[in-house]
Amino acid sequence: MDSKKEIRNYVFAKRKELTQEDADRFSRSICQKVLALPQFEQAACVFAYADYNKEAQTGEIIRAAWAAGKRVAVPKVTGPHQMKYYYLESMDQLEPGYYGIPEPAWGEEAAEEDALIIVPGVAFDENRHRAGYGQGFYDRYLSAHPNHPTVAIAFEFQIVDRVPAEPTDIFPELVVTEERIIQ
């Protein structure tokens, strides 16, 4: 697999084969690892994505953040190439948005510049290179807001030999799977 397109096709096929039970089980393991990270423990606010279509699930991370008294925000696509984070007080705020991905239907724009960001991705490699969904939303956001600690979460099958890196790519500090933490 040499191109990001080939990598995406491979991972999407693997995700399609994934049972919901395995997705739930792997996500619980990922969540336990994330909750034990100093980056999570020290964060006053967590920016997490709302998972969709058998992505590594964030619901447990969001609920644990609320239980620990942390603020939570999730992204919303607000323009052709723009994404902003909005505070999430309840899962009831989420409605299908851009490409059917759950987004906050209402809420206040999040202002923290040092919140822990839980980053999604289609695939990663051992160097933490990331293949996203191809629209560049996270790369643009993270390049404009560089002080956020970043932790990507993914299933182990999303770790591939090599993800081609481009100059505009922003790599997460850690990648957490159900089996390991890549630093």
Side-chain angles (χ1 to χ4, degrees), residues 116-179:
L116 170 63
I117 297 185
I118 305 297
V119 180
V122 175
F124 301 89
D125 65 20
E126 302 260 346
N127 294 313
R128 298 177 280 98
H129 297 158
R130 173 183 172 272
Y133 291 87
Q135 301 298 313
F137 287 110
Y138 280 87
D139 293 322
R140 278 190 295 281
Y141 185 88
L142 292 170
S143 67
H145 304 273
N147 296 323
H148 291 279
T150 55
V151 174
I153 62 173
F155 300 126
E156 187 65 30
F157 67 78
Q158 294 175 257
I159 308 301
V160 297
D161 289 338
R162 184 181 153 285
V163 173
E166 299 165 24
T168 54
D169 289 346
I170 306 289
F171 311 131
E173 294 164 17
L174 303 173
V175 179
V176 178
T177 77
E178 70 275 14
E179 295 180 12

Side-chain angles (χ1 to χ4, degrees), residues 2-161:
D2 293 326
S3 72
K4 286 186 178 181
K5 182 179 180 182
E6 290 172 313
I7 291 168
R8 286 184 188 105
N9 289 339
Y10 166 79
V11 171
F12 292 152
K14 296 292 276 182
R15 266 191 6 203
K16 206 172 192 176
E17 296 170 6
L18 184 68
T19 67
Q20 191 59 55
E21 294 77 22
D22 282 344
D24 295 345
R25 184 168 45 87
F26 296 162
S27 293
R28 280 192 298 275
S29 178
I30 291 167
C31 176
Q32 290 168 356
K33 288 178 178 61
V34 169
L35 299 184
L37 292 172
Q39 292 92 328
F40 181 84
E41 292 174 2
Q42 295 164 6
C45 184
V46 176
F47 288 6
Y49 65 91
D51 58 89
Y52 175 72
N53 199 20
K54 288 196 210 163
E55 289 179 303
Q57 299 163 10
T58 58
E60 255 186 84
I61 295 169
I62 291 170
R63 287 186 286 280
W66 284 333
K70 301 175 189 297
R71 294 192 88 175
V72 173
V74 294
K76 178 180 181 83
V77 173
T78 57
H81 300 288
Q82 187 174 20
M83 167 182 94
K84 295 180 181 178
Y85 281 86
Y86 290 85
Y87 293 117
L88 188 68
E89 308 291 330
S90 160
M91 294 294 196
D92 294 338
Q93 279 174 259
L94 298 175
E95 292 182 356
Y98 184 78
Y99 278 96
I101 299 167
E103 295 182 338
W106 68 89
E108 176 189 348
E109 186 177 342
E112 285 84 354
E113 289 294 327
D114 60 353
L116 170 63
I117 297 185
I118 305 297
V119 180
V122 175
F124 301 89
D125 65 20
E126 302 260 346
N127 294 313
R128 298 177 280 98
H129 297 158
R130 173 183 172 272
Y133 291 87
Q135 301 298 313
F137 287 110
Y138 280 87
D139 293 322
R140 278 190 295 281
Y141 185 88
L142 292 170
S143 67
H145 304 273
N147 296 323
H148 291 279
T150 55
V151 174
I153 62 173
F155 300 126
E156 187 65 30
F157 67 78
Q158 294 175 257
I159 308 301
V160 297
D161 289 338

